[in-house]
């Protein structure tokens, strides 16, 4: 198996006393990658000189200099197209488990996998529309049209490509990997998989973002967000806690954030605490809302939070309701279940999915069901109300103990 790291001058920016490129090479080595090609253009001689000074590793590393830049996709036309490739963009600081990414890619049977994650600036990021199984339906290229309704699943700069995708790359032409190669493949019916991760992946496209990356490394957050590390989480109810309670919310245009809700989530993001929404949605079982419309509702919620610089790391939904007799109900969802609050099924799933430390996590909600779920899950619970908003509860909880990942 080979690996490719598209390179920009930013790959030599120093984070934690080492260039970003060295951090990337380290995670490739941890995944057992044995052959690495670094594509360089502008300032390529500096990158080549740096690689020559590094201690030899088990991976064979070669440098390919492009006299004419061909972009993150076009450069790959020089890569072998007879093997699975891992591609890392050189301007992204990352610390992730590539072995887990590769395992997910193999299980999906996809021709390509894109790592995706939420961020605090989705409005100027490429967004991936994918279904519940992770199959990519469309890629929304920035800049976005006004009023775009999309989930906060941002292209993170890490890919796995099979030969069938590599053979789509035009020879001797410039091409962007996401926009020109993968998006076109999706539109043509290719199976492309989205790998959602809460690990550390941040571009350094602006001085402010580079500053934030260096601060995150100094604080220990970069290393602490690795998939192998148990993380702290806030489990947050949706209706009445994040957004206005309007009865059985059925439509995306009924989403309205509560005052200071985005600030509360931003506090969690800045503290490196996972923000996980857990919500009972019996409207699905009652037939009052389709799965497609629920997806639109959550897209509206995530975009509203993103517009205020905040993001949720995950949303878990219980679609069930035990009582029958509603016109248009979905009989398959009319069951007793373990996930409906005050049951702990959603929390239990998140604990495994995100490697969450139960003992350092908490629940926030506006009803007795949320507090009862907290008790059943053996976590502290915080009641949210008009007089005790989410931000105050989050602030009080964060003040009780450390606030790193």
């Amino acid at each position: 198996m080979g690996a490719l790291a598209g390179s920009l001058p930013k790959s030599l920016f120093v984070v934690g006393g080492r260039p970003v490129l060295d951090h990337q090479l380290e995670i490739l080595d941890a995944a057992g990658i044995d052959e690495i090609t670094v594509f360089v253009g502008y300032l390529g001689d500096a990158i080549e000189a740096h690689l020559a000074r590094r201690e030899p590793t088990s991976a064979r590393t070669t440098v390919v200099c492009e006299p004419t830049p061909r972009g993150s996709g076009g450069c790959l036309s020089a890569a072998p197209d007879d093997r699975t490739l891992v591609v890392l963009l050189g301007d992204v600081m990352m610390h992730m488990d590539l072995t887990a990414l590769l395992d997910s890619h193999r299980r999906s049977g996809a021709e390509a996998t894109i790592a995706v994650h939420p961020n605090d600036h989705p409005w100027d990021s490429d967004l991936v529309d994918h279904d519940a199984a992770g199959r990519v339906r469309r890629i929304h290229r920035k800049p976005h049209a006004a009023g775009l309704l999309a989930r906060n699943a941002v292209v993170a700069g890490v890919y796995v490509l099979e030969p069938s995708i590599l053979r789509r790359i035009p020879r001797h032409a410039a091409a962007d990997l996401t926009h020109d190669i993968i998006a076109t493949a999706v539109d043509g019916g290719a199976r492309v998989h989205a790998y959602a991760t809460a690990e550390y992946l941040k571009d350094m496209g602006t001085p402010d973002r580079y500053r934030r990356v260096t601060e995150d490394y100094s604080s220990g957050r970069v290393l602490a967000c690795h998939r192998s590390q148990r993380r702290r989480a806030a489990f947050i109810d949706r209706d009445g806690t994040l957004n206005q309670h309007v009865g059985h919310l059925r439509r995306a245009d009924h989403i309205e954030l509560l005052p200071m809700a985005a600030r509360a989530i931003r506090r969690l993001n800045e503290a490196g605490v996972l923000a996980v929404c857990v919500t009972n949605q019996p409207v699905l079982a009652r037939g009052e809302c389709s799965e497609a419309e629920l997806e639109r509702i959550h897209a509206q919620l995530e975009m509203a939070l993103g517009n205020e610089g905040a993001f949720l790391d995950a949303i878990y939904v219980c679609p069930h309701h035990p009582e029958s007799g509603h016109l248009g109900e979905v009989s398959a969802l009319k069951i007793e279940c373990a996930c409906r609050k005050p049951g702990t099924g959603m929390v239990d799933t998140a604990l495994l999915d995100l490697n969450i430390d139960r003992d350092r996590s908490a629940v926030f909600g506006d009803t007795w069901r949320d507090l009862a779920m907290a008790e059943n899950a053996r976590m502290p619970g915080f009641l949210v109300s008009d007089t005790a908003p989410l931000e105050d509860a989050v602030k009080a909880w964060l003040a009780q103990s450390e606030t790193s990942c």
Side-chain angles (χ1 to χ4, degrees), residues 30-361:
I33 302 297
D34 56 12
E35 185 177 346
I36 300 171
T37 303
V38 182
F39 288 94
V40 301
Y42 177 62
L43 294 182
D45 54 345
I47 295 170
E48 191 167 9
H50 171 72
L51 290 170
R53 291 192 299 269
R54 292 183 81 246
E55 290 292 327
T57 64
S58 56
R60 183 169 67 88
T61 303
T62 59
V63 178
V64 174
C65 184
E66 295 184 288
T68 301
R70 287 184 290 170
S72 58
C75 71
L76 299 180
S77 65
D81 62 3
D82 61 351
R83 67 195 72 177
T84 302
L85 300 180
V86 180
V87 181
L88 314 180
L89 298 188
D91 61 347
V92 178
M93 176 60 194
M94 60 186 68
H95 188 62
M96 66 180 296
D97 183 350
L98 289 182
T99 301
L101 167 65
L102 287 164
D103 288 345
S104 177
H105 171 74
R106 294 186 187 103
R107 289 195 304 272
S108 74
E111 297 177 69
T113 291
I114 313 175
V116 299
H117 65 156
N119 73 16
D120 56 6
H121 52 97
W123 63 86
D124 70 348
S125 304
D126 294 327
L127 300 173
V128 176
D129 173 20
H130 63 85
D131 64 20
R135 180 156 186 169
V136 177
R137 296 177 290 215
R138 185 179 176 187
I139 296 175
H140 299 284
R141 179 176 181 170
K142 62 178 182 181
H144 305 300
L148 172 70
L149 203 55
R151 299 295 298 269
N152 188 349
V154 174
V155 175
V158 179
Y159 312 79
V160 184
L161 306 178
E162 294 297 335
S164 59
I165 294 293
L166 295 166
R167 293 177 192 133
R168 293 173 176 265
I169 298 172
R171 303 291 172 179
H172 314 299
D176 180 271
L177 178 55
T178 299
H179 303 155
D180 302 322
I181 309 303
I182 296 182
T184 300
V186 170
D187 293 342
R191 185 175 183 85
V192 177
H193 179 63
Y195 175 76
T197 179
E199 293 175 294
Y200 196 91
L201 289 144
K202 291 193 186 299
D203 75 85
M204 304 177 301
T206 67
D208 180 60
R209 290 176 192 170
Y210 172 61
R211 176 188 56 78
R212 289 171 62 185
V213 165
T214 59
E215 290 174 352
D216 286 345
Y217 195 91
S218 297
S219 71
R221 182 178 302 174
V222 173
L223 301 181
C225 289
H226 192 271
R227 189 172 180 274
S228 64
Q229 302 299 307
R230 300 188 70 197
R231 296 185 60 181
R232 195 177 185 200
F235 292 96
I236 306 155
D237 177 52
R238 195 189 79 181
D239 303 325
T241 303
L242 286 174
N243 54 276
Q244 296 283 357
H245 196 289
V246 293
H248 296 147
L249 194 152
R250 304 174 179 87
R251 290 170 39 186
D253 57 3
H254 289 170
I255 282 283
E256 181 183 353
L257 288 181
L258 284 165
M260 300 186 292
R263 283 169 47 178
I265 302 303
R266 196 163 63 241
R267 281 185 181 273
L268 294 169
N269 300 153
E270 291 170 351
V273 175
L274 292 168
V276 181
C277 179
V278 286
T279 176
N280 287 350
Q281 288 303 314
V283 289
L284 292 173
R286 290 177 175 142
E288 299 169 344
C289 177
S290 67
E291 290 185 6
E293 187 59 24
L294 182 64
E295 184 81 2
R296 286 171 49 81
I297 288 169
H298 288 155
Q300 182 66 43
L301 175 64
E302 291 180 348
M303 292 301 280
L305 289 168
N307 288 337
E308 297 193 42
F311 61 86
L312 295 169
D313 290 282
I315 298 178
Y316 289 85
V317 173
C318 169
H320 307 113
H321 190 263
E323 299 171 7
S324 299
H326 296 83
L327 184 65
E329 67 186 19
V330 180
S331 58
L333 299 178
K334 285 292 184 174
I335 61 171
E336 296 283 353
C337 65
C339 54
R340 180 173 166 83
K341 291 185 278 187
T344 63
M346 290 183 285
V347 168
D348 295 337
T349 301
L351 290 174
L352 294 174
D353 288 349
L354 302 173
N355 196 16
I356 291 170
D357 186 344
R358 180 193 302 271
D359 295 336
R360 299 173 58 229
S361 300

Side-chain angles (χ1 to χ4, degrees), residues 369-381:
R369 290 183 181 275
D370 301 301
L371 297 187
M373 182 187 73
E375 183 176 359
N376 292 337
R378 305 192 306 280
M379 295 179 188

